[in-house]
Amino acid sequence: MARTADASPDLPRPLFSRFYARASERIEPAGMADLRRELLAPLRGRVVEVGCGNGLNFAHYPAAVTEVVGVEPEPRLREAGTRRAQEATAAGRPVTVVPGRAESLPLPDASMDAAVVCLVLCSVADPQAAVAEVARVLRPGGTVRFLEHTVAEEPGLRRVQRVVDATVWPLLVGGCHTSRDQVAELRAAGFEVTGTRRFRFPETGPTMPASPHVLGEARLPA
């Protein structure tokens, strides 16, 4: 059954949404568009994209995907995502955007073949609940494709991440936490992580707390 909806699925962040809309488009030609294509290329069937934001993934879904349901709580980003969903649908990629939070997805149990989490688990209020919701809506054997900035492998940078997460970073960047370990969260929820690739993004320039990234796939046991 579908999870009972919250009183309001909206999570307005007017200042952050304006910043994110501009910043996300600026990094597309710097390599993020290529990462999105790599993230989405293996997908097929019905897909839920958790925290779809302004919809920059929608143009990159492969033809094997028969339907995309994007879930987004921030109204301004959801409006932009809806426009891109309409463009994708007109181009033959059926996409729908609906209001909702990661911790309470508005979808029935075992209704989706795959899920996408892209630069979102860093900012949800309860990442463990969000990952559990992804497991709930996936069919047995379903997959999660993930692209997230993540906890650093180097001890020094991990210490910096913990400090900024405990002080200014979440306030400035829409609730983002740089030191979350999304791979560990997926494993704790019962997923089998079948592959990961760790890298810095962007490749050039100074190292920031949000520079470490991970791209990979996890599978829900059948």
Side-chain angles (χ1 to χ4, degrees):
M1 65 179 66
R3 176 66 61 87
T4 301
D6 294 334
S8 172
D10 286 353
L11 186 61
R13 287 173 170 157
L15 294 178
F16 172 74
S17 64
R18 290 181 176 89
F19 162 78
Y20 181 83
R22 293 192 296 269
S24 61
E25 295 194 25
R26 284 201 299 268
I27 64 175
E28 291 298 287
M32 184 54 68
D34 292 335
L35 290 170
R36 295 183 193 277
R37 283 189 284 270
E38 180 182 351
L39 171 71
L40 304 174
L43 292 168
R44 61 184 59 247
R46 301 185 71 217
V47 179
V48 55
E49 183 173 336
V50 182
C52 65
N54 54 347
L56 290 176
N57 280 335
F58 295 159
H60 302 298
Y61 277 94
V65 171
T66 57
E67 179 187 7
V68 178
V69 178
V71 180
E72 175 55 47
E74 208 294 316
R76 182 180 292 270
L77 292 177
R78 188 169 65 237
E79 181 180 353
T82 298
R83 290 195 295 270
R84 287 195 166 95
Q86 292 168 346
E87 294 169 0
T89 299
R93 300 181 182 90
V95 182
T96 304
V97 175
V98 298
R101 301 194 187 193
E103 299 91 343
S104 185
L105 296 174
L107 293 167
D109 295 355
S111 59
M112 309 303 287
D113 298 302
V116 171
V117 286
C118 181
L119 307 178
V120 65
L121 289 179
C122 62
S123 61
V124 298
D126 187 341
Q128 292 179 331
V131 173
E133 272 292 273
V134 170
R136 179 184 67 80
V137 304
L138 284 179
R139 62 169 176 77
T143 59
V144 180
R145 295 286 295 173
F146 55 90
L147 169 59
E148 298 280 346
H149 64 76
T150 191
V151 63
E153 296 181 293
E154 304 90 333
L157 185 53
R158 281 203 303 270
R159 287 192 291 271
V160 172
Q161 289 178 323
R162 287 195 294 268
V163 169
V164 299
D165 284 358
T167 53
V168 299
W169 195 275
L171 297 174
L172 296 176
V173 197
C176 171
H177 293 75
T178 64
S179 61
R180 286 184 176 171
D181 188 343
Q182 295 89 349
V183 173
E185 289 162 356
L186 286 162
R187 287 190 172 120
F191 285 93
E192 176 191 1
V193 177
T194 56
T196 61
R197 180 167 74 85
R198 294 180 181 270
F199 56 96
R200 295 285 182 89
F201 184 85
E203 294 182 356
T204 59
T207 297
M208 299 292 289
S211 294
H213 281 63
V214 62
L215 188 154
E217 181 172 298
R219 186 175 300 275
L220 190 67

